[in-house]
Amino acid sequence: DTGVSQDPRHKITKRGQNVTFRCDPISEHNRLYWYRQTLGQGPEFLTYFQNEAQLEKSRLLSDRFSAERPKGSFSTLEIQRTEQGDSAMYLCASSVNRDEKLFFGSGTQLSVL
Amino acid sequence: DAKTTQPPSMDCAEGRAANLPCNHSTISGNEYVYWYRQIHSQGPQYIIHGLKNNETNEMASLIITEDRKSSTLILPHATLRDTAVYYCIVSPYGGATNKLIFGTGTLLAVQP
């Protein structure tokens, strides 16, 4: 069990640029989640995959955000035309089917200048 | 919106028990109480969960009131490494999504 891995740990970009983050879940974990966290707030749910199927997206998720999980393994989260309000920690988590424990990665800290 | 209410911060002396309260007065019959914690610059970490019985594991104990409207997480012998934000979450077990809705949690500061 190597844990949930996220890459990069930090990303600094200019407003208007596109960014992509990667998440490698714990092997054999079918469920994968993306969360966003801003300073002083708890993590906010963004989207959820079961295997390769994206089954739920937050209504708060802008159309500039897209996530994929090809072949049900790693996942990517892309943000197009970044805005300063996108600056946050982006967390990935995985779990076994219908298991209560979510295992979180250490996150990708995005700063949009 | 989060369905729980927690104090924003608490202090605890090292070596003493830390008792973190949580109110969840609108909890439904099929909802469990989960506790996670988040140490600075890390992702949240699962601690414990329960439905109506008290639960204990190697990390903590969870005490749920008989009416299930509140609970207390107990760290029996707090250490400096227990300084973190503690989140109390109510959610259906094994639901269709099993997503967790986090509030702002309680910042526990363990003092030497």
Side-chain angles (χ1 to χ4, degrees):
Chain A
D1 181 354
T2 58
V4 177
S5 178
Q6 292 190 245
D7 184 70
R9 285 297 310 273
H10 304 274
K11 178 70 176 179
I12 300 174
T13 190
K14 294 183 178 179
R15 187 175 50 190
Q17 298 295 305
N18 299 343
V19 294
T20 300
F21 311 138
R22 177 180 172 120
C23 171
D24 287 275
I26 294 172
S27 60
E28 301 181 354
H29 277 196
N30 295 323
R31 298 187 172 197
L32 187 146
Y33 307 78
W34 285 98
Y35 283 79
R36 175 174 61 191
Q37 185 174 25
T38 54
L39 194 63
Q41 302 298 313
E44 173 191 26
F45 170 79
L46 293 179
T47 190
Y48 151 70
F49 290 83
Q50 182 160 338
N51 299 312
E52 66 276 9
Q54 187 174 19
L55 298 185
E56 186 171 348
K57 290 174 59 174
S58 168
R59 288 172 292 177
L60 302 176
L61 200 60
S62 161
D63 290 343
R64 298 183 294 104
F65 287 69
S66 62
E68 295 182 342
R69 193 184 181 195
K71 302 180 182 179
S73 56
F74 72 92
S75 176
T76 59
L77 177 68
E78 181 183 16
I79 308 174
Q80 296 182 328
R81 304 180 304 281
T82 53
E83 302 173 356
Q84 287 186 327
D86 297 330
S87 295
M89 173 74 78
Y90 289 84
L91 293 160
C92 176
S94 69
S95 71
V96 177
N97 264 341
R98 294 188 175 274
D99 189 283
E100 71 283 2
K101 300 178 186 178
L102 265 62
F103 293 85
F104 283 83
S106 295
T108 294
Q109 181 65 53
L110 173 66
S111 297
V112 181
L113 304 179
Chain B
D1 292 339
K3 301 180 183 179
T4 62
T5 303
Q6 299 177 253
S9 64
M10 293 182 63
D11 288 342
C12 177
E14 189 177 18
R16 303 297 295 270
N19 297 280
L20 292 94
C22 179
N23 287 321
H24 31 79
S25 58
T26 60
I27 191 170
S28 300
N30 67 336
E31 289 183 317
Y32 281 64
V33 180
Y34 299 85
W35 284 83
Y36 281 73
R37 74 179 183 183
Q38 187 171 24
I39 295 171
H40 183 62
S41 297
Q42 296 182 21
Q45 175 192 23
Y46 168 84
I47 301 173
I48 199 168
H49 77 285
L51 180 63
K52 55 183 179 181
N53 297 321
N54 298 336
E55 302 288 345
T56 295
N57 63 20
E58 65 279 3
M59 290 183 67
S61 295
L62 174 60
I63 309 297
I64 303 175
T65 58
E66 190 170 347
D67 64 7
R68 304 208 323 123
K69 292 185 177 182
S70 66
S71 61
T72 300
L73 179 75
I74 301 172
L75 308 178
H77 304 287
T79 71
L80 297 179
R81 289 177 295 180
D82 293 320
T83 292
V85 177
Y86 287 77
Y87 296 100
C88 169
I89 304 163
V90 296
S91 184
Y93 175 77
T97 307
N98 202 32
K99 69 183 180 186
L100 301 175
I101 306 299
F102 289 80
T104 52
T106 296
L107 174 59
L108 175 68
V110 180
Q111 308 291 343

